[in-house]
């Protein structure tokens, strides 16, 4: 017999619906992977039940973009970031399968910790992971997707609508990869002014490109 | 993946500074701890990254027009982009064009300004055949004070699309001492096939 429980909301993230099955007098949650919290997914993998593989795939899909963004910030290379994603997800899934993740509620911190360790060891032979279980790799590979590029013509129009200074600042930030301090020196303005121009420009570009929260 | 609402979202400024590598390590670590546990803020940060990648892509494809520094021009050249450059002094007229291979046409206007002065550019474009005109005002353009010039990166496609025309640019320099005008800087543009050489 299945019983629906009220919706619960996590402070930051997944809204979930819980359905429980009653079997032999015990309540057992039936969690749809797409509607489960990260912690619930981790618990499913740890429990190694029938739906564990779906939970693994969902975990990979959720954490791949997070690790990629971390990798881009710290390794400054798309290829290195993709490599980082693969390694971190393989390590995470393998550790979950082996029951080596003691606190599934802290799975996000766990993955971040793995990302930090692997990124730190990047370039050294030591960072290479052991060969992955062939079953893990497809789930990881499926989760690694390059984000769809923005429509160039549309973006060009939006960038063209920025003020001159804002446009200069975003080009120096994202093409020249200059810090706010470097841009401030080059343009003879205060660093704080550069940051404000940059924030304003990105806010306007998000809206113009339909990427802000209200647009979806 | 649906972005669920976050009850304590990271400020946009923090996301932008994080992506640009401009946050101190401790603040960057806090941002990471948050978005690793938050699908919504991950999506917001991913949107910033897409914009950043898109903007870099616009430069790499010759698809943006802006006033820039000479360093950006040199970086683009080092990346293999083809840039055609014209330097114009106040009162000078220069013939210009854009070849099919040019990613950018760079216009360098000689100016002499002080750090407390701002420069607006007023450009009047007159079409030779029809006599029609268009006026563009660019406010507070970037001045390369070391080289004493304003460097304008023009998207190659945009210049190639222009018919034979005269571009007359005036610089309006404003500062504590008042306002002065420099120019006109005149470019006589002809499409590549008509260009004398």
């Amino acid at each position: 017999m299945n019983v629906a429980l009220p919706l619960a909301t996590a402070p930051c993230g997944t809204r979930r619906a819980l359905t429980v099955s009653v079997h032999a007098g015990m309540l057992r949650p039936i969690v749809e992977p797409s509607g489960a919290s990260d912690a619930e997914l981790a618990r499913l993998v740890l429990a190694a039940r029938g739906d564990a593989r779906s939970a693994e795939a969902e975990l990979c899909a959720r954490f791949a973009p997070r690790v990629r963004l971390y990798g881009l910030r710290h390794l400054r290379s798309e290829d290195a970031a993709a490599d980082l994603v693969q390694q971190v997800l393989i390590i995470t899934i393998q550790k979950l399968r082996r029951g080596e993740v003691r606190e599934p509620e802290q799975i996000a911190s766990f993955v971040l910790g793995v990302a930090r360790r692997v990124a730190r060891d990047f370039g050294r032979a030591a960072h290479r992971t052991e060969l992955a279980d062939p079953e893990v790799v497809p789930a990881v590979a499926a989760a690694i997707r390059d984000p769809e590029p923005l429509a160039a013509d549309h973006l060009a129009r939006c960038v063209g609508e920025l003020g001159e200074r804002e446009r200069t600042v975003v080009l120096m930030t994202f093409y020249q990869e200059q810090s706010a301090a470097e841009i401030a020196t080059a343009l003879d303005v205060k660093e704080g002014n550069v940051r404000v121009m940059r924030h304003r420009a990105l806010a306007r570009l998000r809206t113009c490109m339909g990427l802000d929260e209200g647009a979806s | 993946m649906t972005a669920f609402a976050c009850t304590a979202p990271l400020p946009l400024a923090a996301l932008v500074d994080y992506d640009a590598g401009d946050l101190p390590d401790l603040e960057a670590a806090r941002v990471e701890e948050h978005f690793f546990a938050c699908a919504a803020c991950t999506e917001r940060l991913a949107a910033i990254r897409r914009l950043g990648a898109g903007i870099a892509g616009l430069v790499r494809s010759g698809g943006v027009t802006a006033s820039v520094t000479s360093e950006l021009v040199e970086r683009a050249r080092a990346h293999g982009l083809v840039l055609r450059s014209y330097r114009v002094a106040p009162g000078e007229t220069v013939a210009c064009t854009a070849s099919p291979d040019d990613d950018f046409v760079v216009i360098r206007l000689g100016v002499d300004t002080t750090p407390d002065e701002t420069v607006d550019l007023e450009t009047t474009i007159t079409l030779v055949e029809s006599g029609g005109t268009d006026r563009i005002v660019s406010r507070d353009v970037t001045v390369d004070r070391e080289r004493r010039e304003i460097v304008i990166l023009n998207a190659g496609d945009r210049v190639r699309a222009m018919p034979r025309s005269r571009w007359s640019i005036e610089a309006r320099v404003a500062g504590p001492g008042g306002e002065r005008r420099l120019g006109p800087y005149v470019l006589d543009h002809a499409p590549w096939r008509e260009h004398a050489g």
Side-chain angles (χ1 to χ4, degrees):
Chain A
M1 177 177 75
N2 291 346
V3 177
L5 294 182
L7 292 175
T9 306
C12 231
T14 318
R15 186 169 57 99
R16 60 192 192 274
L18 283 176
T19 303
V20 297
S21 71
V22 181
H23 177 71
M26 294 177 64
L27 286 176
R28 188 174 142 237
I30 297 173
V31 183
E32 293 297 320
S34 61
S37 70
D38 297 344
E40 282 161 353
L41 292 173
R43 275 193 283 271
L44 283 173
V45 179
L46 280 167
R49 291 205 307 269
D51 42 5
R53 290 296 178 265
S54 300
E56 284 176 4
E58 180 67 19
L59 266 179
C60 287
R62 290 186 192 183
F63 280 102
R66 301 172 203 189
V67 178
R68 177 178 173 271
L69 289 166
Y70 177 92
L72 288 172
R73 161 71 173 70
H74 289 275
L75 303 174
R76 291 290 176 199
S77 152
E78 288 278 1
D79 288 344
D83 202 7
L84 182 72
V85 170
Q86 187 173 48
Q87 292 184 52
V88 170
L89 293 183
I90 288 172
I91 291 170
T92 299
I93 297 301
Q94 287 181 327
K95 291 227 178 245
L96 280 166
R97 285 186 179 186
R98 290 179 201 145
E100 291 172 15
V101 178
R102 283 190 297 269
E103 295 175 282
E105 315 75 49
Q106 303 297 328
I107 186 65
S109 294
F110 179 85
V111 178
L112 175 56
V114 174
R116 283 178 172 151
R117 181 170 53 81
V118 175
R120 190 187 59 229
D121 294 341
F122 238 67
R124 299 188 217 160
H127 88 275
R128 283 284 149 204
T129 57
E130 60 202 78
L131 273 177
D133 182 332
E135 281 191 32
V136 171
V137 174
V140 168
I144 298 174
R145 273 188 302 268
D146 284 337
E148 204 179 305
L150 298 171
D153 287 349
H154 188 182
L155 182 60
R157 270 197 308 278
C158 291
V159 170
E161 287 169 11
L162 294 176
E164 286 291 333
R165 285 288 182 144
E166 288 176 348
R167 203 173 326 139
T168 305
V169 167
V170 297
L171 293 190
M172 294 174 82
T173 299
F174 295 114
Y175 178 69
Q176 285 180 270
E177 297 180 316
Q178 289 188 306
S179 67
E182 288 167 333
I183 295 171
T185 301
L187 301 185
D188 220 355
V189 297
K190 291 191 176 126
E191 188 178 330
N193 289 356
V194 171
R195 287 174 191 255
V196 168
M197 281 190 274
R198 196 165 62 188
H199 302 157
R200 240 186 353 234
L202 267 295
R204 288 179 61 182
L205 287 173
R206 274 200 329 168
T207 301
C208 186
M209 294 297 296
L211 293 174
D212 50 7
E213 283 87 30
S216 53
Chain B
M1 184 175 71
T2 308
F4 295 99
C6 174
T7 56
L10 290 166
L12 177 63
L15 293 175
V16 173
D17 287 346
Y18 175 83
D19 181 81
D22 262 332
L23 283 185
D25 288 348
L26 201 56
E27 283 181 52
R30 282 196 210 110
V31 167
E32 285 158 359
E33 280 153 24
H34 180 104
F35 78 77
F36 261 74
C38 177
C41 286
T42 294
E43 256 192 54
R44 293 170 68 227
L45 179 58
I48 300 297
R49 184 78 304 272
R50 280 176 83 197
L51 283 168
I55 290 165
L58 282 182
V59 180
R60 284 194 295 268
S61 63
V64 67
T65 292
S67 61
V68 296
T69 61
S70 291
E71 276 175 1
L72 189 146
V73 172
E74 294 318 309
R75 184 177 171 110
R77 194 167 272 128
H79 282 168
L81 291 169
V82 179
L83 296 104
R84 179 178 293 267
S85 201
Y86 297 99
R87 197 171 200 284
V88 194
E92 191 181 7
T93 298
V94 169
C96 71
T97 188
S99 83
D101 296 330
D102 295 331
D103 294 303
F104 288 107
V105 173
V106 182
I107 308 297
R108 298 174 181 268
L109 307 178
V111 291
D112 212 342
T113 61
T114 58
D116 53 1
E117 287 179 316
T118 61
V119 181
D120 295 344
L121 294 180
E122 294 175 5
T123 304
T124 304
I125 302 172
T126 306
L127 302 181
V128 169
E129 224 175 270
S130 66
T133 61
D134 195 11
R135 193 166 159 270
I136 303 166
V137 177
S138 308
R139 301 200 188 282
D140 194 16
V141 298
T142 296
V143 179
D144 190 323
R145 291 187 212 283
E146 200 177 332
R147 290 177 174 79
R148 293 198 271 182
E149 57 186 13
I150 292 169
V151 182
I152 306 165
L153 202 63
N154 289 280
D157 282 346
R158 187 177 166 214
V159 180
R160 275 187 289 276
M162 290 295 299
R164 187 178 274 273
S165 46
R166 170 166 278 217
W167 297 44
S168 179
I169 307 169
E170 275 211 352
R172 201 170 58 211
V173 183
E179 189 178 286
R180 57 193 171 96
R181 288 188 172 248
L182 297 174
Y185 309 81
V186 180
L187 294 121
D188 273 338
H189 169 75
W192 178 249
R193 62 184 183 281
E194 298 175 33
H195 188 66

